[in-house]
């Protein structure tokens, strides 16, 4: 059996994991559980230190190991997902879209909400994957940084395009070619996560906000600005504000962004760095403006007419949670059929209407309007082409960059 050494995190990485558990996307927010796609992503550096008996370091291999597919004989698929990340009926017990899939195909879905944090879940499945064993799961949903790591390790299977006609055709352009999985050979997005600027109109009291620079520099907002504890979101938005592309930046650009943020912190412009507990500060007006996640803003706007959002001309950050098929999964074809099903407009619309994240499926607006017209016209759920064009993703980092960048960010935030 292959062996590996336990993972070790640097002090800065361990602090960022604690931030994620305490205040980050692991915090439950009404129907949405926002994930640690950045603060927890620091674990990408520390979590890949594998050694011994042929276990490769991250980045040294690519491509999964096919297994015997039992889909024809075993009409089932085992699906692991995040809490509160699937539509439910009024009873709170059934999942209408999954039930419709089973009725159509005869494939029963064993749906489990057993992912609460990327780092925690990776620790749960890693021993089996490293040993070449079946995890008991046919589909897992992971945030982009961890999806990238499993692909590089060769621990997920390459998808068969013949089983994914809807996914290939209807995948939104902004999600088609992440640098960690060009062309989506190994993954398809479950939902997108957008970082925008949110503000409280009453708290602003006429102060104009159009850019991140307005938050960092306007003295009228001193002490009333919130930034995120998630490194990729806060630094990514700062890079964009500085006319740098988060998908292609150099180390010097990162340092310049940290220095830019440090100046705002030093002069008291930033009230605090938060996870999605910014929602309370924004609603009360303690934050006049802050960086925020679209899934929260949809809910906040529904409850408070003073809450609004804006997309800076410089752009906004997008990450994604992604469906993958781990090595040794018993029901690969069934899993691919389920992935493809969620790229049909009707089930995709039904899912979007319930969970209010960024839908990665084109052509769902008419179906969504029949369920919820407001959701169909909400650019935080269905970005139009102009908004999609402003979407940017944070580039993949090496283990060395991950450690270095997180240490600098931890110093900035006081973690």
């Amino acid at each position: 059996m292959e062996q590996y050494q336990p993972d070790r995190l640097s002090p800065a990485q361990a602090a960022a994991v604690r931030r994620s558990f305490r205040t980050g996307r692991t915090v439950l927010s009404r129907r949405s559980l926002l994930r640690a796609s950045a603060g927890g992503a620091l674990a990408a550096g520390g979590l890949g230190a594998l050694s011994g008996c042929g276990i490769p370091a991250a980045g040294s291999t690519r491509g999964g190991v096919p297994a015997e597919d039992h889909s024809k004989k075993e009409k089932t698929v085992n699906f692991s997902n995040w809490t509160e990340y699937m539509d439910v009926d009024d009873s709170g017990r059934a999942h209408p879209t999954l039930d419709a899939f089973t009725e159509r195909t005869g494939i029963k879905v064993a749906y489990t909400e057993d992912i609460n944090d990327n780092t925690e879940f990776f620790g749960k499945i890693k021993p089996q994957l490293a040993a070449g064993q079946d995890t008991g799961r046919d589909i897992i949903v992971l945030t982009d940084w961890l999806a990238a790591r499993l692909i590089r390790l060769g621990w997920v299977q390459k998808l068969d395009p013949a089983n994914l006609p809807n996914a290939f055709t209807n995948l939104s352009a902004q999600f088609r070619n992440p640098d960690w999985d060009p062309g989506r050979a190994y993954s398809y997005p479950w939902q997108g996560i957008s970082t925008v600027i949110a503000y409280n109109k009453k708290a602003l009291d006429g102060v104009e906000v159009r850019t991140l620079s307005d938050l960092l520099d306007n003295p009228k907002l001193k002490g009333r600005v919130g930034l995120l504890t998630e490194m990729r979101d806060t630094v990514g938005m700062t890079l964009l504000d500085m006319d740098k592309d988060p998908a292609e930046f150099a180390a010097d650009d990162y340092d310049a962004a940290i220095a830019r943020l440090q100046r705002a912190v030093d002069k008291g412009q930033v009230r605090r760095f938060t996870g999605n507990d910014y929602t309370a500060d924004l609603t009360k007006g303690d934050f006049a403006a802050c960086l925020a996640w679209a899934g929260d803003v949809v809910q906040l706007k529904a409850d408070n007419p003073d809450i609004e959002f804006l997309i800076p001309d410089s752009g906004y950050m997008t990450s994604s949670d992604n469906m993958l098929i781990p090595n040794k999964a018993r029901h690969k074809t069934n899993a691919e059929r389920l992935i493809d099903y969620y790229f049909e407009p009707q089930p995709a619309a039904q899912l979007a209407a319930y969970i209010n994240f960024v839908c990665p499926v084109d052509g769902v607006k008419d179906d969504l309007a029949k369920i919820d017209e407001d959701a169909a016209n909400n650019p935080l759920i269905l970005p139009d082409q102009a908004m999609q064009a402003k979407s940017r993703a944070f580039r993949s980092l090496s283990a060395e960059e991950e450690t270095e960048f997180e240490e600098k960010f931890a110093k900035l935030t006081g973690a």
Side-chain angles (χ1 to χ4, degrees):
M1 180 180 294
E2 296 172 323
Q3 302 295 319
Y4 60 89
Q5 295 295 327
D7 298 320
R8 293 176 176 85
L9 303 182
S10 72
Q13 290 173 329
V17 170
R18 290 193 295 271
R19 287 201 309 272
S20 176
F21 274 111
R22 183 174 67 252
T23 61
R25 292 183 187 173
T26 56
V27 178
L28 183 63
S29 174
R30 298 188 62 180
R31 290 187 304 180
S32 61
L33 186 69
L34 295 171
R35 269 135 329 274
S37 69
L42 55 104
L47 287 177
L50 305 182
S51 65
C53 296
I55 300 294
S60 63
T61 65
R62 186 177 181 89
V65 178
E68 183 180 356
D69 191 352
H70 299 267
S71 293
K72 288 185 178 181
K73 294 182 179 179
E74 300 176 5
K75 294 296 184 180
T76 188
V77 59
N78 300 308
F79 186 179
S80 282
N81 204 349
W82 295 80
T83 306
E84 304 290 334
Y85 220 15
M86 180 67 74
D87 58 305
V88 298
D89 64 5
D90 291 339
S91 73
R93 293 187 296 270
H95 302 292
T97 56
L98 290 176
D99 292 343
F101 173 79
T102 298
E103 183 176 355
R104 180 201 299 183
T105 64
I107 300 170
K108 295 182 180 180
V109 182
Y111 183 73
T112 307
E113 296 180 336
D114 61 346
I115 306 177
N116 295 302
D117 173 79
N118 284 294
T119 304
E120 177 187 54
F121 187 72
F122 183 62
K124 183 186 300 184
I125 64 174
K126 184 178 65 175
Q128 295 163 300
L129 291 173
Q133 298 173 351
D134 180 12
T135 66
R137 300 167 175 88
D138 300 306
I139 299 176
I140 55 178
V141 179
L142 301 175
T143 306
D144 43 19
W145 66 269
L146 185 53
R149 175 155 291 270
L150 264 64
I151 292 170
R152 292 195 302 268
L153 285 167
W155 287 354
V156 294
Q157 298 187 54
K158 192 170 185 178
L159 301 173
D160 184 350
N163 294 328
L164 297 160
N166 293 299
F168 179 81
T169 301
N170 297 332
L171 176 61
S172 296
Q174 72 182 106
F175 295 105
R176 279 193 176 271
N177 285 294
D179 66 354
W180 47 269
D181 187 17
R184 292 289 181 177
Y186 296 89
S187 70
Y188 269 92
W190 176 248
Q191 297 291 286
I193 306 167
S194 296
T195 304
V196 300
I197 294 176
Y199 59 91
N200 184 315
K201 290 185 292 184
K202 185 176 181 180
L204 279 180
D205 193 25
V207 176
E208 185 176 55
V209 170
R210 289 182 175 273
T211 67
L212 184 63
S213 288
D214 292 331
L215 274 65
L216 300 180
D217 296 332
N218 192 328
K220 294 181 180 179
L221 298 181
K222 183 177 180 178
R224 298 193 295 142
V225 169
L227 301 177
L228 294 169
T229 54
E230 310 298 350
M231 180 269 284
R232 283 167 172 76
D233 293 327
T234 293
V235 175
M237 291 292 282
T238 305
L239 287 167
L240 286 169
D241 191 67
M242 298 169 64
D243 200 27
K244 300 292 183 180
D245 188 348
E248 299 180 354
F249 69 91
D252 288 346
D253 298 325
Y254 183 90
D255 289 344
I258 291 291
R260 173 88 174 88
L261 292 164
Q262 188 67 62
R263 290 193 294 271
V265 170
D266 291 344
K267 66 185 179 183
Q269 193 76 5
V270 179
R271 185 181 183 92
R272 66 189 184 104
F273 290 81
T274 75
N276 72 335
D277 54 331
Y278 66 79
T279 57
D281 296 86
L282 187 62
T283 300
K284 291 186 297 183
D286 291 340
F287 285 165
C290 64
L291 294 182
W293 293 307
D296 281 335
V297 176
V298 172
Q299 297 293 338
L300 291 173
K301 283 173 56 64
D303 295 338
N304 187 335
D306 289 325
I307 304 301
E308 290 291 347
F309 76 96
L310 66 92
I311 303 296
D313 288 341
S314 58
Y316 67 101
M317 298 302 298
T318 296
S319 58
S320 58
D321 289 326
N322 309 276
M323 295 176 282
L324 305 104
I325 301 176
N327 284 354
K328 300 295 183 178
R330 289 179 61 87
H331 313 108
K332 182 174 184 285
T333 299
N334 292 345
E336 289 168 337
R337 292 183 67 181
L338 183 57
I339 291 171
D340 194 61
Y341 167 75
Y342 277 106
F343 280 84
E344 296 178 17
Q346 197 282 326
Q350 193 167 345
L351 182 65
Y354 187 82
I355 63 177
N356 294 161
F357 279 78
V358 180
C359 180
V361 183
D362 281 342
V364 304
K365 188 168 185 176
D366 289 345
D367 287 288
L368 185 54
K370 296 174 185 177
I371 304 169
D372 186 337
E373 188 170 354
D374 289 339
N377 293 309
N378 191 331
L380 296 181
I381 299 174
L382 295 183
D384 58 22
Q385 288 187 350
M387 184 169 170
Q388 287 188 31
K390 293 183 178 182
S391 171
R392 297 292 182 271
F394 205 91
R395 71 170 173 83
S396 298
L397 301 178
S398 68
E400 293 77 12
E401 287 178 320
E402 192 81 55
T403 300
E404 178 186 352
F405 290 176
E406 279 294 349
E407 286 176 349
K408 292 175 179 179
F409 189 70
K411 183 178 180 180
L412 170 73
T413 62

